[in-house]
Amino acid sequence: MLTKKVEKLLNEQINKELFSAYLYLDMANFYADKNLDGFANWFTVQAKEEVSHANIFMDYMKEIGAKVVLEAIAKPEVEFKELKDPLVEALKHEQFVTASIHNLMEAAIEDKDYRTKMILDWFVKEQIEEEANADELINHFDMIGSKGIYMMNKDLLARVFEEPTFTI
Ligand code: MG
């Protein structure tokens, strides 16, 4: 059974996923401004992924007759100076999202909401990948230094968006 508490947390999670998209678009714009189209592409694809995460939650809520409430999306506040800054922020942000998903999971388990738990199982796994991807970008960046940024930019240009394969 969906409780009011879990319903509220699900709506907050939708907002966090959409804010994530906003944040990653901000990062994409930062790189586009520096003529790093590959880095910009990577974060644009990431933003699309975040919108698809929000859609999964919304589809689920509509399916079970829960009320979706879309609140205002906050302005991305972090100022980026160095090329590495968005990469570090992205990892920090994904760690924050992971904590939020885990918190939702705890509430679902506490309320014996096994349907929501099933949705969250996918997200728990997804967050492992999200953190690993962000961590990998930082590691690559640190390894190559400024000379390799051109090559890394070319690599990141190859990323394409694939809709997550998740069905309720
Ligand atoms: Mg997400």
Side-chain angles (χ1 to χ4, degrees):
M1 218 5 231
L2 183 79
T3 58
K4 283 288 158 206
K5 181 183 161 195
V6 172
E7 187 179 53
K8 185 169 177 286
L9 287 173
L10 283 169
N11 275 312
E12 285 171 8
Q13 192 63 40
I14 289 168
N15 190 272
K16 283 172 190 164
E17 301 294 344
L18 292 174
F19 172 74
S20 300
Y22 228 42
L23 182 66
Y24 291 136
L25 286 175
D26 196 41
M27 293 175 179
N29 291 339
F30 170 78
Y31 286 120
D33 194 45
K34 303 270 185 267
N35 292 317
L36 287 169
D37 55 348
F39 284 75
N41 173 64
W42 196 93
F43 279 103
T44 302
V45 171
Q46 189 61 32
K48 287 180 183 170
E49 257 199 43
E50 300 306 341
V51 174
S52 73
H53 290 166
N55 281 331
I56 289 171
F57 281 117
M58 284 192 278
D59 288 347
Y60 165 63
M61 290 180 77
K62 284 181 276 186
E63 187 82 3
I64 63 167
K67 176 104 175 102
V68 176
V69 181
L70 295 179
E71 299 287 354
I73 302 168
K75 179 184 172 190
E77 293 283 7
V78 182
E79 279 275 334
F80 308 120
K81 291 186 184 73
E82 307 295 326
L83 290 179
K84 189 182 168 184
D85 290 352
L87 308 182
V88 175
E89 279 308 314
L91 177 60
K92 267 206 279 186
H93 182 68
E94 286 306 326
Q95 288 165 339
F96 161 77
V97 173
T98 299
S100 177
I101 293 284
H102 290 184
N103 181 52
L104 229 175
M105 179 66 106
E106 278 169 31
I109 291 170
E110 202 179 288
D111 291 352
K112 296 186 168 49
D113 183 348
Y114 301 115
R115 298 184 301 185
T116 301
K117 182 189 171 296
M118 177 194 68
I119 303 295
L120 293 170
D121 281 335
W122 185 86
F123 277 96
V124 168
K125 187 164 168 283
E126 174 70 9
Q127 282 309 118
I128 294 173
E129 199 186 309
E130 295 286 57
E131 285 192 33
N133 287 346
D135 197 44
E136 193 186 8
L137 282 189
I138 295 171
N139 288 338
H140 281 184
F141 193 91
D142 286 344
M143 267 190 280
I144 61 176
S146 57
K147 283 180 193 157
I149 287 174
Y150 172 76
M151 289 308 294
M152 187 172 175
N153 185 60
K154 274 186 113 172
D155 283 349
L156 297 181
L157 195 56
R159 188 183 187 194
V160 289
F161 175 64
E162 284 171 44
E163 196 77 45
T165 48
F166 184 90
T167 45
I168 294 165

